[in-house]
Amino acid sequence: MPFTERFQPFYGPTLLPAGGTLFRLWAPSCQAVALEIEGQPPRAMKAERDGLFSLVAQDAGPGTRYRYRVADDLAVPDPASRFQPDGVHGFSLVTDPGSYGWRHAEWCGRPWEETVIYELHAGLLGGFAGVREKLGELAELGVTAIEIMPVNSFGGTRNWGYDGVLPYAPAASYGAPDDLKALIDAAHGHGLMVFLDVVYNHFGPDGNYLAAYADAFFDRSSDSHWGEGIAFKRPQVARFFHDNVMYWLTEFRFDGVRIDATSAITDRNWFPALLERVRAEIPPGRQVHLILENENNDAALLRDGFTAQWNDDGHNALHVLLTGETEGYYGMFAEAPARSVARVLGEGFDFQGRLNPYSGRMRGQPSGDLPPTKFILFLQNHDQTGNRALGERLTTLADPQALRAAYALLLLCPQIPMLFMGEEWGATTPFFFFTDFHDALADAVREGRRREFATFAAFSSPGARAQIPDPNAPSTFERSRPDRTERDSADGRAWLALTAELLTLRRDWIVPRLHGARALGAEVIGPKAVAARWHMSDGTVLGIALNLGEETLTIAEPARLLHETTERKSGALPGRSVVIGMDVGAGK
């Protein structure tokens, strides 16, 4: 069926059928607001109820540059701006939501069970046009979805995206809105879904003017270390973000969003209201997926209808087994990492309502009843790599043979796999935390970043901390770019071949049996070894035995062997290996 819906967010500029543009701004801290179109005198806006101001400008159409005068000494961009060609401090631009001519208008998405996610940063890959050039090779490899780190406008030209301040405006340093649409359109032509990482729990420090005219947007009783808390219980605020989700899903035709740090969204009612909007406004037959990152391990949200959650427990426990690191939050998994991995494979979450020793708070809800596809498993991502002081990837931290075994688990496990850009060829380039701030803010971010690691043994001295890259240095950004010459090396070609082999096995053997699959349990079989089984939809049983230790263990041999990472005798599970296979009629 063709893509037919058209959605116009309440806030921001609305093109009128008879011509002209309706401008609306929620500014409850102001007594008066004026619209300033570039090169023209200010125009007083009409004050409506509850702090809303509006104005129809008959002479304003696509391409109009405008801003709002909220005080004698302050003019600000539209918080719902669709594009900021000169950055977050400049004029906003009126755009035409229907200007792009879609080539793949029949695209309606893919079933969730087919998902293999590839997380990427658009800026490091050459902006929207650069990402578009790489879509073919990803699709050929077996990736079925790309997840783009936040593209909302932020201060400067380099940022992870989590310091965004204008959530409706694609960052100009990546390209124009139609460039982003062209990327999504091309992805659909390759059969790839496109997910967008969105950040609603805070605003960045550079270019955030909201408090000057809409202080009620914030709830400072819920401040976090990321920034001021957001007043999600206010209808105007809730609508601002709900509309933002619908905007990305409809005008840009994203196949879903990943909502960052949902534990910091303080009104839990915001989530079912979002589900209701999506169900009511997305046409039947179109498949849209809503992904969570949630420190709370709130399994109820997954039961309510959210598609899946990033499984940080799985990553953290596997990381401890692969590297032996136990500092910081890895200490939560230091006591029995193999037991944690077994619980993740058998029940979804490891923390299901017990004390988190890292935070001192109870964490999680029971999740054993949920299907494995409700959990997204990964070995690396932007957070877990970039939040290291030196941005090291697992290829430089773990034993290569053990890493290949864990990689096979990742790509053949019934949980949904996610790769981080470059992981498919075993990239060794670091991924650093980077920003583009200046003056006092740049100093604060650099020194704050270094203070974060003062409790880590390797950075306990000032001299060691001085080696942590300056987030604001252009070189920090450039050094984070995946080195594609590694892709063509002997090691890179071997990793690519392994990735292609595993994703082909997943496509042929796992995906067709995944809808309705359920875990049959998992157990620890050695100090660093686990075995897990899943009842697949056709009655077969998938078994995975992973041994990240050194000693050889004994296992039951599967009837149909799918993959093994090392030569072995029948019934043996050597150290740093995995055995994956199918049995018929063995599930209960």
Side-chain angles (χ1 to χ4, degrees), residues 345 401-414 498 501-502 505 510 521 523 525 528-534 541-549 551-583:
L345 297 177
Q401 191 172 330
L403 181 56
R404 284 176 172 82
Y407 194 60
L409 166 74
L410 168 68
L411 296 185
L412 296 181
C413 169
L498 175 61
E501 174 194 347
L502 294 172
L505 287 171
I510 309 301
E523 60 180 333
I525 59 174
K528 294 185 177 183
V530 298
R533 299 164 68 243
W534 294 267
V541 172
L542 172 68
I544 299 180
L546 173 73
N547 181 8
L548 299 180
E551 69 278 24
T552 296
L553 305 172
T554 301
I555 58 169
E557 194 70 18
R560 170 83 188 209
L561 180 66
L562 296 182
H563 181 77
E564 57 185 354
T565 52
T566 189
E567 292 184 7
R568 63 188 183 88
K569 295 180 180 179
S570 179
L573 181 65
R576 297 170 294 170
S577 74
V578 69
V579 173
I580 302 172
M582 288 278 195
D583 289 294

Side-chain angles (χ1 to χ4, degrees), residues 204-379:
D206 185 17
N208 177 19
Y209 296 101
L210 269 168
Y213 58 87
D215 193 61
F217 206 98
F218 299 97
D219 172 15
R220 292 176 179 83
S221 67
S222 62
D223 287 358
S224 70
H225 64 275
W226 295 304
E228 293 175 308
I230 308 297
F232 289 97
K233 291 184 178 180
R234 292 190 182 275
Q236 298 90 339
V237 176
R239 181 170 189 171
F240 182 84
F241 292 117
H242 285 159
D243 278 8
N244 187 252
V245 173
M246 299 307 302
Y247 165 74
W248 293 121
L249 295 180
T250 55
E251 181 175 331
F252 285 81
R253 307 190 183 188
F254 278 98
D255 298 279
V257 296
R258 177 261 194 190
I259 305 174
D260 178 69
T262 57
S263 58
I265 295 178
T266 51
D267 182 13
R268 198 179 182 284
N269 293 324
W270 185 88
F271 296 96
L274 174 62
L275 285 174
E276 185 177 348
R277 285 282 305 271
V278 172
R279 289 165 175 163
E281 297 178 30
I282 296 297
R286 185 176 173 212
Q287 303 195 58
V288 163
H289 307 298
L290 302 179
I291 301 165
L292 303 174
E293 181 203 32
N294 194 345
E295 168 66 20
N296 290 339
N297 282 0
D298 189 342
L301 289 177
L302 300 176
R303 292 189 193 93
D304 289 346
F306 281 88
T307 307
Q309 177 179 317
W310 278 21
N311 200 341
D312 286 308
D313 287 359
H315 166 274
N316 294 346
L318 285 165
H319 186 93
V320 171
L321 284 177
L322 285 166
T323 68
E325 294 181 345
T326 58
E327 291 186 289
Y329 50 72
Y330 291 129
M332 298 160 51
F333 301 87
E335 182 179 351
R339 184 179 65 194
S340 295
V341 170
R343 197 170 197 208
V344 162
L345 297 177
E347 302 178 36
F349 296 135
D350 181 24
F351 279 78
Q352 300 183 34
R354 58 189 173 94
L355 183 69
N356 176 352
Y358 187 69
S359 69
R361 297 191 298 268
M362 298 298 291
R363 177 172 181 253
Q365 297 173 354
S367 58
D369 63 302
L370 293 170
T373 51
K374 285 287 183 179
F375 306 92
I376 297 171
L377 191 61
F378 48 91
L379 296 177

Side-chain angles (χ1 to χ4, degrees), residues 435-483:
T435 54
D436 186 18
F437 298 138
H438 303 278
D439 303 322
L441 180 57
D443 295 339
V445 169
R446 179 181 59 253
E447 296 310 314
R449 175 74 174 169
R450 290 172 177 173
R451 281 196 302 272
E452 282 183 42
F453 297 97
T455 60
F456 287 70
F459 302 100
S460 57
S461 71
R465 291 194 294 277
Q467 302 306 309
I468 298 174
D470 178 0
N472 299 290
S475 60
T476 302
F477 173 80
E478 290 299 332
R479 290 171 61 198
S480 298
R481 199 185 303 274
D483 181 0

Side-chain angles (χ1 to χ4, degrees), residues 42-305:
R43 309 179 193 188
M45 300 181 72
K46 179 183 176 182
E48 302 183 12
R49 65 179 185 176
D50 299 326
L52 183 69
F53 293 82
S54 68
L55 176 70
V56 172
Q58 294 291 348
D59 58 343
T64 299
R65 294 164 63 92
Y66 72 99
R67 61 185 181 181
Y68 295 115
R69 176 67 58 178
V70 296
D72 290 343
D73 59 349
L74 182 62
V76 301
D78 189 339
S81 167
R82 306 301 195 258
F83 190 45
Q84 293 292 124
D86 301 322
V88 297
H89 302 286
F91 281 87
S92 302
L93 189 77
V94 177
T95 62
D96 180 357
S99 64
Y100 181 78
W102 292 89
R103 295 180 298 116
H104 302 286
E106 300 291 328
W107 173 266
C108 288
R110 296 182 66 156
W112 180 245
E113 289 80 10
E114 297 178 1
T115 305
V116 176
I117 302 173
Y118 186 88
E119 189 194 18
L120 61 87
H121 184 278
L124 287 172
L125 297 188
F128 300 139
V131 175
R132 183 178 173 184
E133 293 174 358
K134 298 169 180 61
L135 297 174
E137 67 185 39
L138 293 175
E140 183 178 1
L141 188 63
V143 169
T144 64
I146 61 170
E147 180 177 319
I148 306 176
M149 290 172 64
V151 302
N152 47 198
S153 289
F154 47 78
T157 61
R158 307 180 302 276
N159 198 284
W160 275 16
Y162 302 91
D163 289 315
V165 292
L166 298 172
Y168 287 78
S173 57
Y174 300 163
D178 278 3
D179 295 323
L180 177 55
K181 292 175 183 179
L183 162 59
I184 296 166
D185 199 12
H188 292 166
H190 286 286
L192 294 168
M193 296 177 283
V194 188
F195 305 141
L196 178 65
D197 201 343
V198 294
V199 185
Y200 298 151
N201 56 81
H202 75 287
F203 289 91
D206 185 17
N208 177 19
Y209 296 101
L210 269 168
Y213 58 87
D215 193 61
F217 206 98
F218 299 97
D219 172 15
R220 292 176 179 83
S221 67
S222 62
D223 287 358
S224 70
H225 64 275
W226 295 304
E228 293 175 308
I230 308 297
F232 289 97
K233 291 184 178 180
R234 292 190 182 275
Q236 298 90 339
V237 176
R239 181 170 189 171
F240 182 84
F241 292 117
H242 285 159
D243 278 8
N244 187 252
V245 173
M246 299 307 302
Y247 165 74
W248 293 121
L249 295 180
T250 55
E251 181 175 331
F252 285 81
R253 307 190 183 188
F254 278 98
D255 298 279
V257 296
R258 177 261 194 190
I259 305 174
D260 178 69
T262 57
S263 58
I265 295 178
T266 51
D267 182 13
R268 198 179 182 284
N269 293 324
W270 185 88
F271 296 96
L274 174 62
L275 285 174
E276 185 177 348
R277 285 282 305 271
V278 172
R279 289 165 175 163
E281 297 178 30
I282 296 297
R286 185 176 173 212
Q287 303 195 58
V288 163
H289 307 298
L290 302 179
I291 301 165
L292 303 174
E293 181 203 32
N294 194 345
E295 168 66 20
N296 290 339
N297 282 0
D298 189 342
L301 289 177
L302 300 176
R303 292 189 193 93
D304 289 346

